[in-house]
Amino acid sequence: QGQLVESGGGSVQAGGSLRLSCTAASGWSSDVYWRGWFRRAPGKERERVAAVNIYGTTSYAGSVKGRFIISLDDSKNTLYLQMNNLQQGDTGMYYCAARDYGVVEYNYWGQGTQVTVSS
């Protein structure tokens, strides 16, 4: 699988919304199991924000549950993260990632897209 590519980041005021998109440059791995979104704030550890597996099971960080929605389009080509009611604490670099069956660590990553939320 080639690199993952994210888009859709930007600067938004608190309460606003953004939708991030992620595609696999040369197609998703045939063994992919989980696709997800991670974020990292300056000086902080990376955290998993949301993930979805090939069966549609989703998982969200408690801080974003009810505000963010992860989804995959019908063709399974594009992964989305719809972010609603954004808060200053959501500011950070957002990364798309995926992992294969039997792999604990996410083994495919994008370059990141910056999300900045202002008051």
Side-chain angles (χ1 to χ4, degrees), residues 15-71:
S17 298
L18 287 171
R19 188 175 74 163
L20 307 183
S21 300
C22 172
T23 58
S26 60
W28 298 92
S29 167
S30 60
D31 295 322
V32 69
Y33 185 46
W34 285 94
R35 299 174 174 90
W37 291 93
F38 293 73
R39 69 185 180 191
R40 176 180 54 81
K44 305 295 183 182
E45 294 183 357
R46 185 177 63 207
E47 66 172 334
R48 187 176 64 197
V49 176
V52 58
N53 69 19
I54 61 171
Y55 302 108
T57 301
T58 58
S59 179
Y60 295 93
S63 60
V64 308
K65 194 170 186 177
R67 298 189 296 119
F68 291 10
I69 301 171
I70 188 169
S71 63

Short mmCIF file of all heavy atoms in Angstrom, two decimals, residues 15-71:
data_model
loop_
_atom_site.label_atom_id
_atom_site.label_comp_id
_atom_site.label_asym_id
_atom_site.label_seq_id
_atom_site.Cartn_x
_atom_site.Cartn_y
_atom_site.Cartn_z
N GLY A 15 -16.95 26.06 17.80
CA GLY A 15 -18.33 25.83 17.42
C GLY A 15 -18.51 25.48 15.96
O GLY A 15 -19.58 25.01 15.56
N GLY A 16 -17.47 25.68 15.16
CA GLY A 16 -17.53 25.39 13.75
C GLY A 16 -17.28 23.93 13.44
O GLY A 16 -17.06 23.11 14.33
N SER A 17 -17.29 23.61 12.15
CA SER A 17 -17.13 22.24 11.69
C SER A 17 -16.10 22.13 10.57
O SER A 17 -15.89 23.09 9.82
CB SER A 17 -18.46 21.68 11.17
OG SER A 17 -19.45 21.64 12.19
N LEU A 18 -15.48 20.98 10.48
CA LEU A 18 -14.58 20.64 9.38
C LEU A 18 -14.79 19.18 9.04
O LEU A 18 -15.18 18.39 9.90
CB LEU A 18 -13.11 20.86 9.77
CG LEU A 18 -12.59 22.28 9.89
CD1 LEU A 18 -11.18 22.25 10.48
CD2 LEU A 18 -12.59 22.98 8.54
N ARG A 19 -14.51 18.81 7.80
CA ARG A 19 -14.50 17.41 7.41
C ARG A 19 -13.16 17.07 6.80
O ARG A 19 -12.75 17.64 5.79
CB ARG A 19 -15.62 17.09 6.41
CG ARG A 19 -15.73 15.58 6.14
CD ARG A 19 -16.89 15.22 5.25
NE ARG A 19 -16.64 15.56 3.85
CZ ARG A 19 -17.33 15.07 2.83
NH1 ARG A 19 -18.32 14.21 3.05
NH2 ARG A 19 -17.05 15.45 1.60
N LEU A 20 -12.47 16.12 7.42
CA LEU A 20 -11.20 15.65 6.92
C LEU A 20 -11.42 14.45 6.01
O LEU A 20 -12.32 13.65 6.23
CB LEU A 20 -10.28 15.24 8.08
CG LEU A 20 -10.04 16.28 9.18
CD1 LEU A 20 -9.04 15.72 10.19
CD2 LEU A 20 -9.56 17.59 8.59
N SER A 21 -10.58 14.32 4.99
CA SER A 21 -10.65 13.21 4.05
C SER A 21 -9.30 12.52 3.96
O SER A 21 -8.26 13.17 4.12
CB SER A 21 -11.06 13.70 2.66
OG SER A 21 -12.32 14.33 2.68
N CYS A 22 -9.32 11.23 3.68
CA CYS A 22 -8.10 10.45 3.56
C CYS A 22 -8.25 9.43 2.44
O CYS A 22 -9.26 8.72 2.38
CB CYS A 22 -7.80 9.74 4.89
SG CYS A 22 -6.44 8.55 4.84
N THR A 23 -7.26 9.38 1.58
CA THR A 23 -7.23 8.38 0.52
C THR A 23 -5.88 7.68 0.51
O THR A 23 -4.88 8.24 0.95
CB THR A 23 -7.49 9.00 -0.86
OG1 THR A 23 -6.50 10.00 -1.13
CG2 THR A 23 -8.87 9.62 -0.93
N ALA A 24 -5.86 6.46 -0.01
CA ALA A 24 -4.62 5.71 -0.18
C ALA A 24 -4.14 5.93 -1.61
O ALA A 24 -4.85 5.61 -2.56
CB ALA A 24 -4.85 4.24 0.10
N ALA A 25 -2.93 6.46 -1.75
CA ALA A 25 -2.42 6.87 -3.05
C ALA A 25 -2.45 5.74 -4.08
O ALA A 25 -2.74 5.98 -5.26
CB ALA A 25 -1.01 7.42 -2.91
N SER A 26 -2.12 4.53 -3.68
CA SER A 26 -2.10 3.40 -4.59
C SER A 26 -3.10 2.32 -4.20
O SER A 26 -2.95 1.16 -4.57
CB SER A 26 -0.69 2.81 -4.68
OG SER A 26 -0.24 2.37 -3.42
N GLY A 27 -4.13 2.70 -3.46
CA GLY A 27 -5.14 1.76 -3.02
C GLY A 27 -4.87 1.24 -1.62
O GLY A 27 -3.72 1.12 -1.20
N TRP A 28 -5.94 0.95 -0.91
CA TRP A 28 -5.80 0.41 0.43
C TRP A 28 -5.26 -1.01 0.39
O TRP A 28 -5.48 -1.76 -0.55
CB TRP A 28 -7.15 0.41 1.15
CG TRP A 28 -7.74 1.77 1.34
CD1 TRP A 28 -8.61 2.41 0.50
CD2 TRP A 28 -7.51 2.67 2.43
NE1 TRP A 28 -8.93 3.64 1.01
CE2 TRP A 28 -8.27 3.83 2.20
CE3 TRP A 28 -6.73 2.58 3.59
CZ2 TRP A 28 -8.28 4.91 3.07
CZ3 TRP A 28 -6.74 3.67 4.47
CH2 TRP A 28 -7.51 4.80 4.20
N SER A 29 -4.56 -1.39 1.45
CA SER A 29 -4.07 -2.76 1.59
C SER A 29 -5.24 -3.74 1.50
O SER A 29 -6.31 -3.50 2.05
CB SER A 29 -3.36 -2.92 2.93
OG SER A 29 -3.14 -4.28 3.24
N SER A 30 -5.02 -4.86 0.83
CA SER A 30 -6.04 -5.89 0.75
C SER A 30 -6.28 -6.56 2.10
O SER A 30 -7.29 -7.23 2.29
CB SER A 30 -5.67 -6.94 -0.29
OG SER A 30 -4.45 -7.57 0.03
N ASP A 31 -5.36 -6.36 3.03
CA ASP A 31 -5.46 -6.95 4.37
C ASP A 31 -5.89 -5.95 5.43
O ASP A 31 -5.83 -6.25 6.62
CB ASP A 31 -4.12 -7.56 4.78
CG ASP A 31 -3.73 -8.73 3.91
OD1 ASP A 31 -4.62 -9.51 3.52
OD2 ASP A 31 -2.53 -8.86 3.61
N VAL A 32 -6.30 -4.75 5.01
CA VAL A 32 -6.63 -3.72 5.98
C VAL A 32 -7.77 -4.17 6.89
O VAL A 32 -8.72 -4.82 6.44
CB VAL A 32 -6.97 -2.38 5.28
CG1 VAL A 32 -8.29 -2.48 4.52
CG2 VAL A 32 -7.01 -1.24 6.28
N TYR A 33 -7.66 -3.84 8.17
CA TYR A 33 -8.68 -4.20 9.16
C TYR A 33 -9.27 -2.96 9.84
O TYR A 33 -10.48 -2.80 9.91
CB TYR A 33 -8.08 -5.15 10.19
CG TYR A 33 -9.09 -5.69 11.18
CD1 TYR A 33 -10.33 -6.17 10.75
CD2 TYR A 33 -8.80 -5.74 12.53
CE1 TYR A 33 -11.26 -6.67 11.65
CE2 TYR A 33 -9.72 -6.24 13.44
CZ TYR A 33 -10.94 -6.70 12.99
OH TYR A 33 -11.87 -7.21 13.89
N TRP A 34 -8.40 -2.10 10.33
CA TRP A 34 -8.83 -0.86 10.96
C TRP A 34 -8.30 0.34 10.19
O TRP A 34 -7.17 0.34 9.71
CB TRP A 34 -8.30 -0.76 12.40
CG TRP A 34 -9.02 -1.61 13.39
CD1 TRP A 34 -8.66 -2.86 13.81
CD2 TRP A 34 -10.21 -1.27 14.12
NE1 TRP A 34 -9.56 -3.32 14.75
CE2 TRP A 34 -10.51 -2.37 14.96
CE3 TRP A 34 -11.04 -0.15 14.15
CZ2 TRP A 34 -11.61 -2.37 15.81
CZ3 TRP A 34 -12.14 -0.16 15.00
CH2 TRP A 34 -12.42 -1.26 15.81
N ARG A 35 -9.13 1.34 10.05
CA ARG A 35 -8.74 2.66 9.56
C ARG A 35 -9.08 3.67 10.65
O ARG A 35 -10.11 3.53 11.31
CB ARG A 35 -9.50 3.01 8.28
CG ARG A 35 -9.26 2.08 7.10
CD ARG A 35 -10.18 2.47 5.96
NE ARG A 35 -9.94 1.73 4.73
CZ ARG A 35 -10.54 0.58 4.42
NH1 ARG A 35 -11.41 0.01 5.27
NH2 ARG A 35 -10.27 -0.02 3.27
N GLY A 36 -8.23 4.65 10.84
CA GLY A 36 -8.50 5.57 11.93
C GLY A 36 -7.88 6.94 11.75
O GLY A 36 -7.16 7.21 10.79
N TRP A 37 -8.21 7.81 12.70
CA TRP A 37 -7.67 9.15 12.76
C TRP A 37 -7.00 9.36 14.11
O TRP A 37 -7.55 9.01 15.16
CB TRP A 37 -8.77 10.20 12.58
CG TRP A 37 -9.35 10.24 11.20
CD1 TRP A 37 -10.43 9.57 10.74
CD2 TRP A 37 -8.85 11.01 10.09
NE1 TRP A 37 -10.66 9.86 9.42
CE2 TRP A 37 -9.69 10.75 9.00
CE3 TRP A 37 -7.78 11.88 9.93
CZ2 TRP A 37 -9.49 11.33 7.74
CZ3 TRP A 37 -7.59 12.47 8.68
CH2 TRP A 37 -8.44 12.19 7.62
N PHE A 38 -5.81 9.93 14.08
CA PHE A 38 -5.05 10.29 15.26
C PHE A 38 -4.78 11.78 15.25
O PHE A 38 -4.84 12.41 14.20
CB PHE A 38 -3.72 9.54 15.30
CG PHE A 38 -3.84 8.05 15.50
CD1 PHE A 38 -4.29 7.23 14.47
CD2 PHE A 38 -3.48 7.47 16.70
CE1 PHE A 38 -4.39 5.87 14.64
CE2 PHE A 38 -3.57 6.10 16.89
CZ PHE A 38 -4.03 5.30 15.86
N ARG A 39 -4.48 12.34 16.40
CA ARG A 39 -4.09 13.74 16.45
C ARG A 39 -2.97 13.94 17.46
O ARG A 39 -2.80 13.17 18.40
CB ARG A 39 -5.28 14.65 16.78
CG ARG A 39 -5.80 14.53 18.21
CD ARG A 39 -7.05 15.38 18.38
NE ARG A 39 -7.59 15.30 19.72
CZ ARG A 39 -8.78 15.77 20.08
NH1 ARG A 39 -9.55 16.37 19.18
NH2 ARG A 39 -9.19 15.65 21.33
N ARG A 40 -2.20 14.99 17.25
CA ARG A 40 -1.10 15.33 18.13
C ARG A 40 -1.05 16.84 18.31
O ARG A 40 -0.96 17.58 17.33
CB ARG A 40 0.22 14.82 17.57
CG ARG A 40 1.44 15.21 18.39
CD ARG A 40 2.72 14.66 17.76
NE ARG A 40 2.86 15.06 16.38
CZ ARG A 40 3.31 16.23 15.97
NH1 ARG A 40 3.66 17.16 16.85
NH2 ARG A 40 3.41 16.48 14.67
N ALA A 41 -1.13 17.28 19.56
CA ALA A 41 -0.94 18.68 19.89
C ALA A 41 0.53 18.91 20.21
O ALA A 41 1.22 17.98 20.65
CB ALA A 41 -1.82 19.08 21.07
N PRO A 42 1.05 20.11 20.00
CA PRO A 42 2.46 20.39 20.29
C PRO A 42 2.85 20.00 21.71
O PRO A 42 2.18 20.38 22.67
CB PRO A 42 2.59 21.89 20.07
CG PRO A 42 1.52 22.21 19.08
CD PRO A 42 0.37 21.30 19.45
N GLY A 43 3.93 19.22 21.83
CA GLY A 43 4.42 18.80 23.13
C GLY A 43 3.61 17.72 23.80
O GLY A 43 3.90 17.35 24.95
N LYS A 44 2.59 17.20 23.14
CA LYS A 44 1.73 16.18 23.71
C LYS A 44 1.88 14.86 22.95
O LYS A 44 2.33 14.84 21.81
CB LYS A 44 0.27 16.62 23.69
CG LYS A 44 0.00 17.94 24.37
CD LYS A 44 0.28 17.87 25.86
CE LYS A 44 -0.07 19.18 26.55
NZ LYS A 44 0.25 19.13 28.00
N GLU A 45 1.49 13.78 23.60
CA GLU A 45 1.52 12.48 22.96
C GLU A 45 0.40 12.36 21.94
O GLU A 45 -0.66 12.96 22.08
CB GLU A 45 1.39 11.36 24.00
CG GLU A 45 2.55 11.25 24.96
CD GLU A 45 2.41 10.09 25.91
OE1 GLU A 45 1.39 9.39 25.87
OE2 GLU A 45 3.33 9.89 26.71
N ARG A 46 0.66 11.58 20.91
CA ARG A 46 -0.35 11.31 19.91
C ARG A 46 -1.48 10.49 20.52
O ARG A 46 -1.24 9.59 21.33
CB ARG A 46 0.29 10.56 18.74
CG ARG A 46 -0.62 10.30 17.57
CD ARG A 46 0.16 9.61 16.46
NE ARG A 46 0.64 8.30 16.88
CZ ARG A 46 1.71 7.71 16.38
NH1 ARG A 46 2.44 8.33 15.46
NH2 ARG A 46 2.07 6.51 16.81
N GLU A 47 -2.71 10.79 20.16
CA GLU A 47 -3.85 10.05 20.65
C GLU A 47 -4.75 9.61 19.51
O GLU A 47 -4.87 10.31 18.49
CB GLU A 47 -4.66 10.87 21.67
CG GLU A 47 -5.34 12.10 21.08
CD GLU A 47 -6.29 12.77 22.06
OE1 GLU A 47 -6.81 12.09 22.96
OE2 GLU A 47 -6.52 13.99 21.91
N ARG A 48 -5.37 8.49 19.68
CA ARG A 48 -6.33 8.00 18.70
C ARG A 48 -7.65 8.71 18.91
O ARG A 48 -8.20 8.70 20.01
CB ARG A 48 -6.50 6.49 18.81
CG ARG A 48 -7.37 5.89 17.70
CD ARG A 48 -7.41 4.38 17.80
NE ARG A 48 -8.03 3.94 19.03
CZ ARG A 48 -7.92 2.71 19.53
NH1 ARG A 48 -7.19 1.80 18.90
NH2 ARG A 48 -8.53 2.40 20.66
N VAL A 49 -8.17 9.30 17.86
CA VAL A 49 -9.41 10.06 17.92
C VAL A 49 -10.60 9.18 17.58
O VAL A 49 -11.62 9.19 18.28
CB VAL A 49 -9.35 11.27 16.98
CG1 VAL A 49 -10.69 12.02 16.97
CG2 VAL A 49 -8.22 12.21 17.39
N ALA A 50 -10.50 8.44 16.49
CA ALA A 50 -11.60 7.61 16.03
C ALA A 50 -11.06 6.53 15.12
O ALA A 50 -10.02 6.70 14.48
CB ALA A 50 -12.65 8.45 15.29
N ALA A 51 -11.77 5.41 15.06
CA ALA A 51 -11.38 4.32 14.18
C ALA A 51 -12.61 3.55 13.74
O ALA A 51 -13.63 3.54 14.43
CB ALA A 51 -10.39 3.38 14.88
N VAL A 52 -12.51 2.91 12.59
CA VAL A 52 -13.58 2.07 12.09
C VAL A 52 -12.96 0.85 11.43
O VAL A 52 -11.95 0.96 10.72
CB VAL A 52 -14.49 2.84 11.09
CG1 VAL A 52 -13.71 3.38 9.91
CG2 VAL A 52 -15.65 1.96 10.63
N ASN A 53 -13.52 -0.34 11.68
CA ASN A 53 -12.99 -1.52 11.04
C ASN A 53 -13.84 -1.91 9.83
O ASN A 53 -14.84 -1.26 9.52
CB ASN A 53 -12.82 -2.68 12.03
CG ASN A 53 -14.13 -3.26 12.54
OD1 ASN A 53 -15.19 -3.09 11.95
ND2 ASN A 53 -14.03 -3.99 13.65
N ILE A 54 -13.43 -2.96 9.15
CA ILE A 54 -14.08 -3.32 7.89
C ILE A 54 -15.50 -3.84 8.10
O ILE A 54 -16.25 -3.98 7.12
CB ILE A 54 -13.26 -4.35 7.10
CG1 ILE A 54 -13.07 -5.64 7.89
CG2 ILE A 54 -11.92 -3.75 6.70
CD1 ILE A 54 -12.45 -6.76 7.09
N TYR A 55 -15.87 -4.13 9.32
CA TYR A 55 -17.22 -4.58 9.62
C TYR A 55 -18.13 -3.44 10.07
O TYR A 55 -19.30 -3.66 10.37
CB TYR A 55 -17.19 -5.68 10.69
CG TYR A 55 -16.36 -6.86 10.28
CD1 TYR A 55 -15.13 -7.11 10.86
CD2 TYR A 55 -16.81 -7.73 9.28
CE1 TYR A 55 -14.35 -8.18 10.47
CE2 TYR A 55 -16.03 -8.80 8.88
CZ TYR A 55 -14.81 -9.03 9.48
OH TYR A 55 -14.04 -10.10 9.08
N GLY A 56 -17.58 -2.23 10.13
CA GLY A 56 -18.36 -1.08 10.51
C GLY A 56 -18.32 -0.74 11.98
O GLY A 56 -18.98 0.23 12.40
N THR A 57 -17.60 -1.50 12.78
CA THR A 57 -17.46 -1.18 14.19
C THR A 57 -16.65 0.09 14.35
O THR A 57 -15.60 0.23 13.74
CB THR A 57 -16.78 -2.33 14.94
OG1 THR A 57 -17.55 -3.52 14.79
CG2 THR A 57 -16.64 -2.01 16.43
N THR A 58 -17.13 1.01 15.17
CA THR A 58 -16.44 2.28 15.38
C THR A 58 -15.99 2.42 16.82
O THR A 58 -16.55 1.82 17.73
CB THR A 58 -17.32 3.48 15.01
OG1 THR A 58 -18.53 3.44 15.78
CG2 THR A 58 -17.67 3.47 13.53
N SER A 59 -14.96 3.24 17.00
CA SER A 59 -14.44 3.54 18.32
C SER A 59 -14.05 5.01 18.35
O SER A 59 -13.45 5.50 17.40
CB SER A 59 -13.23 2.66 18.63
OG SER A 59 -12.68 2.96 19.90
N TYR A 60 -14.40 5.71 19.43
CA TYR A 60 -14.10 7.13 19.56
C TYR A 60 -13.46 7.43 20.90
O TYR A 60 -13.79 6.82 21.92
CB TYR A 60 -15.38 7.97 19.46
CG TYR A 60 -16.07 7.93 18.13
CD1 TYR A 60 -17.08 7.01 17.89
CD2 TYR A 60 -15.71 8.82 17.12
CE1 TYR A 60 -17.72 6.97 16.66
CE2 TYR A 60 -16.35 8.77 15.89
CZ TYR A 60 -17.35 7.86 15.66
OH TYR A 60 -17.98 7.82 14.45
N ALA A 61 -12.55 8.39 20.90
CA ALA A 61 -12.05 8.92 22.15
C ALA A 61 -13.19 9.61 22.89
O ALA A 61 -14.05 10.24 22.27
CB ALA A 61 -10.92 9.91 21.90
N GLY A 62 -13.21 9.49 24.21
CA GLY A 62 -14.29 10.07 24.99
C GLY A 62 -14.45 11.57 24.78
O GLY A 62 -15.58 12.09 24.82
N SER A 63 -13.36 12.26 24.52
CA SER A 63 -13.40 13.70 24.36
C SER A 63 -14.09 14.17 23.08
O SER A 63 -14.48 15.33 22.99
CB SER A 63 -11.98 14.29 24.41
OG SER A 63 -11.19 13.76 23.36
N VAL A 64 -14.25 13.27 22.12
CA VAL A 64 -14.85 13.65 20.85
C VAL A 64 -16.16 12.94 20.57
O VAL A 64 -16.87 13.30 19.62
CB VAL A 64 -13.89 13.43 19.66
CG1 VAL A 64 -12.55 14.11 19.92
CG2 VAL A 64 -13.70 11.95 19.36
N LYS A 65 -16.49 11.94 21.37
CA LYS A 65 -17.71 11.17 21.14
C LYS A 65 -18.93 12.09 21.19
O LYS A 65 -19.08 12.90 22.10
CB LYS A 65 -17.84 10.05 22.16
CG LYS A 65 -18.88 9.01 21.79
CD LYS A 65 -18.79 7.79 22.70
CE LYS A 65 -19.73 6.69 22.23
NZ LYS A 65 -19.61 5.47 23.07
N GLY A 66 -19.79 11.95 20.19
CA GLY A 66 -20.96 12.81 20.09
C GLY A 66 -20.74 14.03 19.24
O GLY A 66 -21.70 14.69 18.84
N ARG A 67 -19.47 14.36 18.96
CA ARG A 67 -19.16 15.52 18.13
C ARG A 67 -18.52 15.12 16.80
O ARG A 67 -18.73 15.79 15.80
CB ARG A 67 -18.21 16.47 18.86
CG ARG A 67 -18.79 17.05 20.14
CD ARG A 67 -17.90 18.15 20.71
NE ARG A 67 -16.60 17.64 21.12
CZ ARG A 67 -15.43 18.03 20.62
NH1 ARG A 67 -15.40 18.96 19.67
NH2 ARG A 67 -14.30 17.51 21.08
N PHE A 68 -17.72 14.06 16.80
CA PHE A 68 -17.02 13.60 15.61
C PHE A 68 -17.66 12.33 15.08
O PHE A 68 -18.16 11.50 15.85
CB PHE A 68 -15.55 13.31 15.90
CG PHE A 68 -14.69 14.51 16.21
CD1 PHE A 68 -15.24 15.77 16.42
CD2 PHE A 68 -13.31 14.37 16.29
CE1 PHE A 68 -14.44 16.86 16.70
CE2 PHE A 68 -12.50 15.45 16.57
CZ PHE A 68 -13.06 16.70 16.78
N ILE A 69 -17.61 12.14 13.77
CA ILE A 69 -18.12 10.93 13.14
C ILE A 69 -17.10 10.44 12.13
O ILE A 69 -16.69 11.20 11.24
CB ILE A 69 -19.47 11.16 12.44
CG1 ILE A 69 -20.52 11.67 13.43
CG2 ILE A 69 -19.94 9.87 11.78
CD1 ILE A 69 -21.81 12.12 12.77
N ILE A 70 -16.68 9.18 12.25
CA ILE A 70 -15.79 8.59 11.27
C ILE A 70 -16.63 7.75 10.31
O ILE A 70 -17.59 7.09 10.70
CB ILE A 70 -14.70 7.73 11.95
CG1 ILE A 70 -13.66 7.26 10.92
CG2 ILE A 70 -15.31 6.54 12.70
CD1 ILE A 70 -12.43 6.63 11.55
N SER A 71 -16.29 7.80 9.04
CA SER A 71 -17.04 7.05 8.04
C SER A 71 -16.17 6.72 6.84
O SER A 71 -15.13 7.32 6.62
CB SER A 71 -18.28 7.82 7.59
OG SER A 71 -17.93 9.03 6.95
#
